[in-house]
Amino acid sequence: MRRNAALVAATALACGAGTVALAAPANAAGWRNISSAALSYNGSLDRVDFGAKNAGWAVGAAGSFFSPQAKIVRWTGSAWAADKSPVGFTPTDVAVSSGSKAWIIGYNLGGTLGLYWNGTKWSQVAYPMVGFPTAVSAAPDGAAYSIAGADAASGGLSAVLRWTGSAWAETKVPLPASSSITAVDVRAKNDVWLAGSTSATGTSVTGLVMHFNGTSWKKIDVPGSLGVPGYQGTLHRIVANSPTNVYVLRVRQNAQITNAIQRYNGSTWKTVNTPLNAAGIGLSSDARGGVVMLPITTGTKTQYMHYNGSSWTTLNGPARTGTVQATDADPRPGTTAIVSAGTASHPDKKTPFIEYFS
């Protein structure tokens, strides 16, 4: 995921019911709707990623479990356009390196699979059956890693995969026994970050971060308890602004702990509880040393919680009909905006939406 945008609560872009709404600057009033046929379907929109100002994709699904339809929309630099998948499946994540390199992971009844964008079209690529594909991240230099697992958020098995240039292959990471990886962030081929949990004793769970410098992996212990096996929290996302400014998003799940972000300065960790103990489902850099967290929200507006390195600010998205649950967030390079994707639930359908905030 790219980290080149800043967050300033001034403008916003949203789409719902097949439209895109562009907020005027802070000194102007009202919203401007722009038609977007690419989002006019009954289904979900779950993940989004940008690799350049005009290289962004959002993915979701329609159809049914037995006949899934992958939904892929591409940012052209001025609008969202529909891309066609060569295979029916349910995407779980997307990562963008540049206008000529992007990846989507997911599954269908046939098993796990991936797509690769070569700048012209999407092609199906092999994805080993090593677990349920959960996350993928890519860097501007073309390095890409993915993670898969079987209930990894609760301490189950997990696997780390690396893009070889033509396929996904499992890569060995020197993890302690009883460890699970749940989050990945790739800054370069020699700057890869993983986050997860470990239970060396079998009676308590703690967090860990792994960093790859291009030659070897280094284990970084995350202080504080994540609970006990079976009732544990998880490190749901990791954002590495730099080797001395790394954030992990801690989600309590069933554990008797708080929801928080934990920040690593290269030597020590600082734990910062989230506002109102909100559980986060998305975390992105603001390109100014802080992060933007998307909490689980239900109501008439999405929420965005911005931590600038010292304090929290909560921003609200535009009002919309129905219940909104935001699903992911990511900065948009070359602008002063972040972008998130989600699905608004209406009585008779689900309407995908995308929102920009700058």
Side-chain angles (χ1 to χ4, degrees):
M1 294 183 180
R2 305 292 64 76
R3 311 294 173 192
N4 303 321
L7 175 70
V8 184
T11 64
L13 175 76
C15 70
T19 63
V20 179
L22 177 63
N27 58 357
W31 290 81
R32 181 165 57 90
N33 291 328
I34 303 172
S35 177
S36 178
L39 294 162
S40 183
Y41 65 88
N42 183 357
S44 68
L45 196 60
D46 305 305
R47 295 293 179 88
V48 62
D49 196 33
F50 272 79
K53 184 177 181 180
N54 61 348
W57 277 264
V59 297
S64 67
F65 176 79
F66 297 100
S67 182
Q69 301 171 18
K71 293 296 182 179
I72 307 171
V73 292
R74 176 173 56 93
W75 180 251
T76 65
S78 59
W80 289 95
D83 268 355
K84 187 176 181 179
S85 170
V87 61
F89 76 111
T90 299
T92 55
D93 202 5
V94 58
V96 184
S97 175
S98 65
S100 61
K101 285 186 172 73
W103 297 262
I104 300 173
I105 58 172
Y107 66 95
N108 59 19
L109 288 178
T112 58
L113 59 90
L115 297 185
Y116 174 64
W117 173 260
N118 64 3
T120 303
K121 65 177 182 179
W122 291 100
S123 299
Q124 186 175 350
V125 295
Y127 193 101
M129 188 81 74
V130 291
F132 183 81
T134 55
V136 60
S137 179
D141 64 5
Y145 282 73
S146 179
I147 54 176
D151 199 19
S154 296
L157 298 176
S158 64
V160 179
L161 297 93
R162 180 180 63 87
W163 178 251
T164 66
S166 59
W168 290 103
E170 189 173 2
T171 186
K172 298 300 181 183
V173 180
L175 294 169
S178 302
S179 296
S180 299
I181 296 299
T182 48
V184 57
D185 190 19
V186 183
R187 290 174 51 84
K189 63 182 179 181
N190 60 353
D191 196 5
V192 181
W193 296 81
L194 304 172
S197 62
T198 185
S199 180
T201 64
T203 58
S204 63
V205 180
T206 56
L208 84 159
V209 164
M210 301 293 296
H211 179 235
F212 183 63
N213 64 5
T215 303
S216 61
W217 289 94
K218 176 184 178 182
K219 181 172 73 74
I220 304 169
D221 294 323
V222 182
S225 173
L226 288 179
V228 299
Y231 297 91
Q232 67 183 65
T234 186
L235 301 185
H236 187 56
R237 292 282 191 271
I238 182 169
V239 170
N241 288 320
S242 73
T244 58
N245 188 12
V246 180
Y247 291 87
V248 292
L249 174 59
R250 187 178 77 189
V251 180
R252 64 182 298 272
Q253 298 191 123
N254 296 320
Q256 298 302 308
I257 59 174
T258 58
N259 294 308
I261 56 172
Q262 294 179 274
R263 185 183 186 184
Y264 179 65
N265 66 6
S267 58
T268 61
W269 289 88
K270 177 183 179 180
T271 299
V272 182
N273 292 336
T274 61
L276 302 177
N277 200 28
I281 52 176
L283 190 72
S284 299
S285 171
D286 67 357
R288 294 184 173 182
V291 286
V292 178
M293 186 190 85
L294 269 71
I296 298 174
T297 58
T298 54
T300 58
K301 294 182 180 180
T302 47
Q303 286 186 327
Y304 304 84
M305 294 179 174
H306 177 216
Y307 182 74
N308 64 7
S310 59
S311 61
W312 288 98
T313 302
T314 299
L315 310 173
N316 287 312
R320 63 178 73 253
T321 303
T323 300
V324 175
Q325 182 161 321
T327 53
D328 201 12
D330 202 41
R332 179 181 166 192
T335 70
T336 55
I338 64 166
V339 59
S340 71
T343 303
S345 297
H346 299 274
D348 57 343
K349 67 180 296 185
K350 295 180 178 179
T351 304
F353 70 85
I354 297 174
E355 295 180 346
Y356 288 108
F357 274 78
S358 63

